[in-house]
């Protein structure tokens, strides 16, 4: 573990590509320098992105791979796309350096960075042109292409910080897997299978050694952390930079891991769909994982696994509101109570050292009771769209004890994971994510029809209600179903019991929004905006008129929380 210099705590910050694309100047001249004053800082960068992921660097690099696999036919489009990636990043560094003061004092830094960007892109062209001859790229070759996006981002961020007086250096991790487990693919695969999640702990040790070499400079770490045995995108998936940040936090024993996004934190529901949604000060790591899996873009599922044992809290913060507290996620662990994280303030006189606060009292204040952190009502509701419901009725000549085994074998064969399952002796209902490849669903249907009747219902959504220890909330299932019944919403599948903290239901996609709002209002007990606006708040007066004495209510009037409940006949 890396020892913090000058007794300052370690803090790891991860910035998404959209945040860097929109607010690079604010991040490099305000947010990072403020935190660097009181903390030993590590910054993890995703590849630059635009408003939509489809226009981001990683998506463009995936297009480059597709053009390379087309062979000579895609060569012109491939070259144009690499040039677009190069020019986009050069324009970013040029825009940051546009201030005359910055050019005069740090012109060489910007020139060196621009030269490095051009060199990386020329190397990418040569690599992809060579791949065009074969017309195919291996998963590991694709990893090498994808890694370019994070490399370019880390170079730019390091240059921008250094040019404004905050020493920083890029740290590339694309070779970290081979450094830890050797260059043999077979050795790497064997290590991944043998170690499981501990595979990433070994990588954390490698990261620790590299950070130690950086001295007082802030390491700007690439979110891409190595060419994995079976491809990073296949093994971890998009969002791998969250996992990289978690490994960095474990590597240095950070007091907090911060993930900076364009939202204030985790809400009781998606505020774009439920206007009355409220920001949550905290959730448990199990709740955050469930919310991520069932539709909310919170954190990568593997992230909490890495920091749980290290007892490192994770905080989600908003780059547009750096002074906000965001949402903090404390790992559920039997380790000693973690302390409250380092924070910054716009007031330089405020002490920015870590503030110690008992976790139990903080959690109790936010609705988590006792050592088991039980809640008395659900925490949040989320929706996962693009769901297909598959119903299979087993033939009488198929043995019931092997029926489920054969169904799941076919799902695995077609690489279609099941999100929810409900079964009886000869029936099974499956909620699955609609596959990108439509032929995979057709193949699955044909294979399942060997065992019985198969019905497929598209255009479905999964509505998930999440709350820690929610299985112990008596009557919560009845409240959920009653709320949906009041809106005349049909439920096609319900799942409870497999998880202690969620109840999931499948509804028609057209009813998903109404279902979310009904549950948010009736089950989470959060009034709609209209209810809040129309709520009458009792006061000392009925009305006031200019220059007239204040009118007092009749003595016979009675008030209720909803307003005036009755008046005497004389009133």
């Amino acid at each position: 573990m890396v020892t913090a210099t000058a007794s300052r705590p370690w803090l790891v910050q991860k910035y998404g590509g959209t945040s860097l694309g929109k607010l690079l100047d604010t991040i490099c001249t305000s947010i990072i320098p403020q935190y660097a004053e009181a903390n030993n800082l590590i910054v993890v960068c995703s590849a630059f992105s635009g408003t939509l992921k489809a226009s981001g660097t990683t998506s463009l690099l995936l297009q480059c791979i597709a053009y390379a696999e087309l062979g000579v036919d895609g060569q012109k489009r491939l070259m144009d796309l690499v040039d677009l990636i190069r020019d986009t990043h050069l324009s970013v560094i040029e825009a940051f350096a546009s201030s005359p003061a910055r050019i005069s004092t740090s012109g060489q830094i910007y020139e060196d960075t621009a030269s490095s960007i051009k060199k990386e892109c020329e190397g990418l062209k040569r690599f992809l042109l060579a791949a065009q001859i074969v017309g195919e790229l291996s998963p590991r070759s694709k990893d090498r292409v994808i890694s370019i996006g994070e490399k370019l981002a880390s170079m730019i961020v390091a240059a921008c910080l250094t040019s404004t007086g905050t020493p920083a250096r890029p740290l590339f991790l694309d070779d970290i897997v081979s450094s830890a487990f050797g260059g043999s693919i077979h050795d790497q695969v064997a290590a991944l299978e043998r170690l499981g999640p501990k595979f990433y702990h070994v990588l954390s040790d490698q990261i620790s050694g590299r950070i130690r070499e950086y001295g007082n400079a802030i390491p700007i770490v690439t979110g891409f952390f190595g060419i994995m045995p079976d491809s990073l995108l296949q093994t971890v998936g998009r969002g791998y930079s969250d996992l990289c940040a978690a490994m960095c936090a474990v590597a240095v024993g950070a007091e907090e891991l911060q993930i900076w996004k364009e939202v204030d934190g985790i809400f009781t529901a998606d505020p774009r769909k439920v206007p009355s949604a409220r920001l949550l000060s905290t959730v448990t790591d199990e709740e955050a994982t469930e919310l991520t899996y069932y539709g909310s873009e919170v954190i990568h599922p593997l992230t909490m696994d890495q920091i749980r044992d290290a007892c490192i809290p994770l905080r989600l913060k908003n780059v547009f509101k750096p002074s906000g507290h965001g949402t903090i996620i404390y790992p559920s662990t039997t380790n000693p109570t973690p302390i409250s994280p380092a924070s910054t303030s716009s007031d330089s006189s405020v002490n920015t050292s870590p503030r110690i606060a008992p976790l139990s009292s903080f959690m109790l204040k936010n609705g988590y009771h006792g050592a088991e952190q039980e809640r008395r009502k659900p925490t949040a509701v989320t929706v996962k769209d693009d769901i297909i419901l598959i119903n299979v009725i087993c033939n009488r000549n198929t043995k019931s004890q092997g029926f489920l085994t054969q169904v799941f074998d076919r799902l695995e064969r077609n690489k279609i994971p099941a999100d929810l399952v409900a079964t009886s002796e000869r029936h099974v209902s499956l909620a699955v994510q609609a596959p990108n490849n439509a032929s995979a669903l057709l193949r699955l249907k044909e294979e399942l029809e060997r065992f019985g009747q198969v019905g497929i219902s598209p255009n479905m959504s999964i509505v998930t209600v999440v709350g820690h220890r929610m299985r112990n909330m008596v009557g919560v299932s009845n409240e959920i179903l009653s709320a949906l019944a009041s809106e005349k919403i049909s439920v096609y599948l319900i799942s409870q019991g497999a998880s202690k903290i969620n109840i999931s239901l499948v509804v028609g996609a057209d009813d998903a929004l109404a279902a979310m709002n009904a549950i948010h209002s009736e089950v989470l007990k959060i009034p709609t905006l209209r209810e809040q606006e129309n709520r009458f708040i009792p006061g000392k007066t009925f009305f006031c008129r200019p220059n007239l004495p204040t009118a007092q209510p009749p003595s016979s009037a009675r008030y209720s929380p909803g307003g005036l409940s009755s008046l005497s006949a004389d009133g």
Side-chain angles (χ1 to χ4, degrees), residues 156-364:
I156 290 175
V157 172
C160 294
L161 286 169
T162 303
S163 67
T164 52
T166 303
R169 291 165 50 198
L171 173 55
F172 303 151
L173 299 180
D174 53 332
D175 63 340
I176 194 169
V177 175
S178 58
S179 296
F181 301 102
S184 169
I185 298 177
H186 297 292
D187 291 344
Q188 295 174 12
V189 171
L192 182 59
E193 293 176 349
R194 182 180 72 255
L195 297 174
K198 292 183 179 179
F199 179 90
Y200 302 104
H201 293 171
V202 177
L203 298 184
S204 293
D205 292 337
Q206 289 285 321
I207 294 172
S208 173
R210 299 192 183 193
I211 290 174
R212 190 180 295 115
E213 301 171 357
Y214 272 58
N216 294 326
I218 297 176
I220 310 300
V221 183
T222 55
F224 185 97
F225 58 86
I227 299 175
M228 295 286 285
D230 295 319
S231 168
L232 185 64
L233 284 176
Q234 292 182 17
T235 306
V236 179
R238 297 288 289 266
Y240 47 75
S241 54
D242 285 355
L243 177 56
C244 180
M247 291 192 298
C248 290
V250 172
V252 299
E255 289 202 351
E256 181 172 297
L257 166 61
Q258 294 179 348
I259 295 181
W260 290 75
K261 295 176 172 283
E262 296 80 53
V263 294
D264 291 331
I266 300 175
F267 286 79
T268 52
D270 187 339
R272 295 169 299 182
K273 300 177 181 178
V274 183
S276 58
R278 295 178 180 176
L279 177 66
L280 293 164
S281 297
T282 185
V283 297
T284 65
D285 58 335
E286 292 96 339
E287 289 173 325
T289 301
E290 291 290 304
L291 287 169
T292 299
Y293 186 80
Y294 286 107
S296 299
E297 294 187 7
V298 181
I299 54 173
H300 192 281
L302 289 174
T303 301
M304 290 308 305
D305 292 342
Q306 299 306 306
I307 63 177
R308 183 181 291 111
D309 292 339
C311 201
I312 299 172
L314 182 151
R315 187 183 293 272
L316 300 172
K317 289 183 65 80
N318 189 345
V319 287
F320 291 100
K321 300 177 183 177
S323 60
H325 294 292
T327 299
I328 189 165
I329 304 169
Y330 283 107
S332 298
T333 177
T334 55
N335 289 347
T337 300
I339 63 174
S340 291
S343 62
T344 65
S345 169
S346 56
D347 184 357
S348 60
S349 66
V350 176
N351 182 12
T352 59
S353 61
R355 297 167 295 155
I356 298 176
L359 176 59
S360 58
S361 62
F362 175 73
M363 298 300 283
L364 180 62

Side-chain angles (χ1 to χ4, degrees), residues 380-518:
V381 58
T382 187
V383 168
K384 188 173 187 178
D385 295 317
D386 297 324
I387 297 297
I388 294 174
L389 186 65
I390 303 174
N391 295 297
V392 185
I393 303 175
C394 175
N395 289 330
R396 288 297 174 184
N397 58 354
T398 301
K399 294 181 179 180
S400 59
Q401 62 267 28
F403 174 50
L404 286 179
T405 301
Q406 296 178 64
V407 169
F408 282 101
D409 177 65
R410 267 54 180 187
L411 288 171
E412 175 66 23
R413 186 180 300 176
N414 290 281
K415 301 187 183 302
I416 299 177
D419 290 327
L420 297 176
V421 180
T423 68
S424 63
E425 182 184 3
R426 309 192 72 84
H427 295 70
V428 61
S429 294
L430 307 151
V432 303
Q433 187 80 45
N436 294 327
N437 184 1
S439 62
L441 184 62
L442 293 175
R443 287 196 305 270
L444 176 64
K445 184 176 184 294
E446 291 174 358
E447 293 176 10
L448 292 177
E449 284 175 340
R450 300 173 188 173
F451 314 123
Q453 300 176 23
V454 179
I456 294 181
S457 302
N459 301 319
M460 295 288 176
S461 295
I462 296 176
V463 179
T464 300
V465 186
V466 174
H468 200 68
R469 302 283 176 178
M470 194 169 67
R471 192 163 63 182
N472 299 333
M473 299 178 192
V474 178
V476 68
S477 297
N478 178 59
E479 290 183 8
I480 294 171
L481 294 175
S482 296
L484 297 181
S486 66
E487 296 294 325
K488 296 179 173 55
I489 297 173
S490 298
V491 177
Y492 296 89
L493 185 153
I494 182 169
S495 173
Q496 183 184 15
S499 170
K500 295 180 180 179
I501 67 170
N502 89 55
I503 298 175
S504 295
L505 312 99
V506 174
V507 302
D510 293 338
D511 293 327
L513 182 59
M516 180 188 284
N517 278 274

Side-chain angles (χ1 to χ4, degrees), residues 13-29 31-32 43-53 56-57 92 96 153 156-157 241-242 258-265 297-298 316-322:
Q13 294 182 331
K14 180 259 176 177
Y15 292 93
T18 306
S19 299
L20 291 172
K22 291 180 178 178
L23 290 175
L24 178 64
D25 202 292
T26 300
I27 291 169
C28 292
T29 62
I31 298 176
I32 291 177
V43 174
V44 179
C45 293
S46 295
F48 276 88
S49 180
T51 305
L52 300 175
K53 280 188 177 181
T57 304
V92 169
F96 189 88
I156 290 175
V157 172
S241 54
D242 285 355
Q258 294 179 348
I259 295 181
W260 290 75
K261 295 176 172 283
E262 296 80 53
V263 294
D264 291 331
E297 294 187 7
V298 181
L316 300 172
K317 289 183 65 80
N318 189 345
V319 287
F320 291 100
K321 300 177 183 177

